[in-house]
Structures are given as structure tokens and as C-alpha cells.
Amino acid sequence: DQQVKQNSPSLSVQEGRISILNCDYTNSMFDYFLWYKKYPAEGPTFLISISSIKDKNEDGRFTVFLNKSAKHLSLHIVPSQPGDSAVYFCAAFAQGGSEKLVFGKGTKLTVNP
Amino acid sequence: DAGVTQSPTHLIKTRGQQVTLRCSPKSGHDTVSWYQQALGQGPQFIFQYYEEEERQRGNFPDRFSGHQFPNYSSELNVNALLLGDSALYLCASEGSTYEQYFGPGTRLTVT
């Protein structure tokens, strides 16, 4: 039973346009959400996070939106750059839960020049 | 400021053998977590160590064990290796915030 789902295995966008990566979750106890970026042969790199008490968090070109009623979050990258090409993982955890971070399967983003 | 480091980078073992993977956390971090990432999957939580004690554990058998040393570095031990244990093993350290910082991982291949 997947608690964190990233239903799009891949996404391709043009340089300069917006990239939108989506993530759905089923566990209503999750209260903190994170996005990680992973290049081949490297570990995941923390990108941005959001607490369940907020609905938006912004950091430069990256914005994460949280819709708790829909159990949905999204990562927006504007403008997209070729260096953003990587696998993006959505992760969540619940304080006091039995697992630290629960990850989705990832979405491979390709930004074309 | 050194980030999270892991050794070795790659490892090949035979089914039934035992393996030990090592991790040094980011400077200032005292909590270490281990994850297993199978091909095409997201990382899956194995366990977390804090103050040299296992604090949380995911859904992994007892063949997976760990240790944390006084300098906060950590080891992951896997006994009686199975073919299905082939994966990328990631170590992550955590400081005072909830963000976890990952090392580059150890690629384990069991033949």
C-alpha cells in the first residue's frame, strides 16, 4: 500500500517554461512534506519542504503547494532550466510515526534546451 | 563543511554472505537514518539511530542491523544476504530541523 504516490514517472518540458510535479498521499497523519532531487550516482538532495499548517512555500524558482483536503501537493519550477533535469522525489512523514520519511517512486524531469 | 559520506561506493557480495556499510553524518548532525532504494523505487526507510540507540525502525527483517558510534557515525549490517538485497543503500543525517541530508549511497550487488 503506497502512502505517497507520484503517478507520473516522467515529465518533459522546454527550457524557460514551468515544470509542475505532482504528489498524492493517503495518510492523513502526515504533517510535513519534502521534495528531493536526485542526479544519477548521487544521493537525493533536499530541495524544499512544507509544513501541513501552510499551503505554500517558496524558495527562488521552486514553490511547493499543499492542498490538505485533497491530500495533494505539487512542486512548481519556474523557469525550468536544463540543469533541473533529474529525478524528483516527494516525501512525507508524521511526527510520532513509525517511519521517518515515506517516499514516492519519483518523477524523472527532462528540461529540453 | 563535509556533507554526509558513505563507504564503500560499490560492493559485490555472494548470497548468504554478510556486509557492513559505513556512514559519517554531516557536521553538527547527531541523527542517522538508513534507507534502501531498489531500482525504479523511492528510498525505503530501514531504521534511525540517535544517541547510539535505534530510535525507529521500518519494515525490514532482523537480518538488517545497525550501530551508531559516539562520534555519530553509523554502520549498517546485513546478514545472510539475499538476491533481493541488491539495491542502493542511502544514509541520511538530520540536525535540529526535519530535513534529512543524504550521502551518495553504496551500491550493493548480491550475486
Side-chain angles (χ1 to χ4, degrees), chain A residues 43-89:
Chain A
T45 302
F46 169 72
L47 204 54
I48 192 169
S49 62
I50 188 167
S51 163
S52 61
I53 62 172
K54 296 184 175 181
D55 55 17
K56 177 182 175 181
N57 189 26
E58 194 170 355
D59 184 2
R61 297 186 296 114
F62 303 90
T63 303
V64 56
F65 295 92
L66 175 63
N67 183 333
K68 281 200 304 182
S69 61
K71 294 190 176 66
H72 176 85
L73 63 157
S74 60
L75 174 68
H76 293 210
I77 306 174
V78 183
S80 301
Q81 299 173 354
D84 296 329
S85 297
V87 177
Y88 288 78
F89 290 99

Side-chain angles (χ1 to χ4, degrees), chain A residues 32 36 43 46 49 95 97 100, chain B residues 41-42 56 94 98-100 103:
Chain A
Y32 204 77
Y36 284 85
F46 169 72
S49 62
Q95 282 184 272
K100 191 58 179 177
Chain B
Q41 303 292 318
Q56 291 181 332
E94 178 183 331
Y98 292 127
E99 290 88 15
Q100 295 199 3

